[in-house]
Amino acid sequence: GENVEQHPSTLSVQEGDSAVIKCTYSDSASNYFPWYKQELGKGPQLIIDIRSNVGEKKDQRIAVTLNKTAKHFSLHITETQPEDSAVYFCAASQGTGGFKTIFGAGTRLFVKA
Amino acid sequence: EAGVAQSPRYKIIEKRQSVAFWCNPISGHATLYWYQQILGQGPKLLIQFQNNGVVDDSQLPKDRFSAERLKGVDSTLKIQPAKLEDSAVYLCASSRPGAGTEAFFGQGTRLTVV
């Protein structure tokens, strides 16, 4: 079946360093790629998303890149802060309204002060 | 705007018992999702509604799980009978209809089956 692979499963960085999380997807029909941050005891919250007609998107310290040919997309967080510590999920969906959304297994990010 | 509301927050039941979860989506959001999140994994879509119609329930274990969304607003997810492997967080999310729209998640219901 369709799937989304996410790496690494755990990432530890020093405050101020950059963090990179990578995902690959299998469904060539996927056209929307959101990234979610989940803190303990809370539901996932969207932090950035990218659509298939765009190769890169940036929002302050967060950027996402998409390579549709290779079916890869990545999350880049620069100047990391302790409050960035959380679990991050990538996802891929196709169609309208999030139809067939598949999540990656998650990356637990630790930012050490 | 008010977020997605879910209840209860926690539930502990014995295997073979039944349980129900409730979700109230953000006002005006026609699309509603139920996800199952097992500890250490990403959310897995169980069912998606557009208004009160089912868009996708391909991963819903229909022999024991059921869901409804009466009047296209609130939704309930039921498990009957529960199994140990159903222990998970059940997340409800909602979004406006349309391609690539943000899904807003509730805090979830943590179910423990003993």
Side-chain angles (χ1 to χ4, degrees):
Chain A
E2 308 298 351
N3 73 314
V4 174
E5 293 189 1
Q6 182 172 347
H7 300 281
S9 58
T10 305
L11 180 60
S12 183
V13 300
Q14 203 68 36
E15 181 179 3
D17 288 350
S18 295
V20 179
I21 302 171
K22 298 182 178 182
C23 291
T24 60
Y25 62 97
S26 60
D27 187 353
S28 56
S30 297
N31 56 12
Y32 175 62
F33 307 91
W35 285 87
Y36 289 89
K37 176 183 181 181
Q38 187 172 29
E39 296 176 324
L40 195 62
K42 297 184 179 180
Q45 183 176 16
L46 183 79
I47 55 171
I48 195 168
D49 56 13
I50 191 167
R51 290 169 174 75
S52 58
N53 58 346
V54 176
E56 186 173 352
K57 182 177 179 180
K58 188 174 182 181
D59 182 5
Q60 298 183 338
R61 297 186 297 110
I62 296 174
V64 58
T65 58
L66 171 65
N67 182 330
K68 281 214 73 178
T69 303
K71 295 182 185 172
H72 289 170
F73 57 116
S74 300
L75 177 71
H76 304 252
I77 306 175
T78 58
E79 301 173 17
T80 53
Q81 301 166 2
E83 51 265 38
D84 294 330
S85 296
V87 179
Y88 291 80
F89 292 98
C90 62
S93 70
Q94 56 155 296
T96 60
F99 186 57
K100 295 291 187 187
T101 299
I102 299 174
F103 280 77
T107 295
R108 184 171 295 277
L109 174 65
F110 297 95
V111 180
K112 296 175 287 186
Chain B
E1 63 183 352
V4 175
Q6 288 189 248
S7 67
R9 283 297 314 276
Y10 306 94
K11 190 75 177 180
I12 301 175
I13 62 172
E14 295 183 350
K15 59 183 178 182
R16 291 187 289 273
Q17 286 187 324
S18 63
V19 64
F21 312 125
W22 174 82
C23 173
N24 180 239
I26 293 173
S27 178
H29 282 191
T31 307
L32 185 147
Y33 316 79
W34 282 103
Y35 286 89
Q36 179 192 58
Q37 186 175 25
I38 293 172
L39 186 65
Q41 299 182 17
K44 183 183 85 171
L45 180 68
L46 293 176
I47 188 166
Q48 178 180 345
F49 292 94
Q50 181 82 4
N51 295 308
N52 60 347
V54 176
V55 174
D56 181 11
D57 64 357
S58 57
Q59 297 193 90
L60 186 73
K62 297 180 185 64
D63 58 334
R64 298 184 300 106
F65 286 65
S66 65
E68 60 181 9
R69 190 183 185 195
L70 300 176
K71 300 181 181 179
V73 182
D74 292 5
S75 177
T76 55
L77 176 70
K78 297 178 181 178
I79 307 175
Q80 182 180 6
K83 293 184 176 181
L84 296 177
E85 57 261 37
D86 298 331
S87 295
V89 174
Y90 290 84
L91 295 162
C92 178
S94 70
S95 68
R96 294 184 179 86
T101 55
E102 177 181 356
F104 293 83
F105 284 81
Q107 287 189 295
T109 296
R110 180 176 297 278
L111 173 67
T112 303
V113 182
V114 298

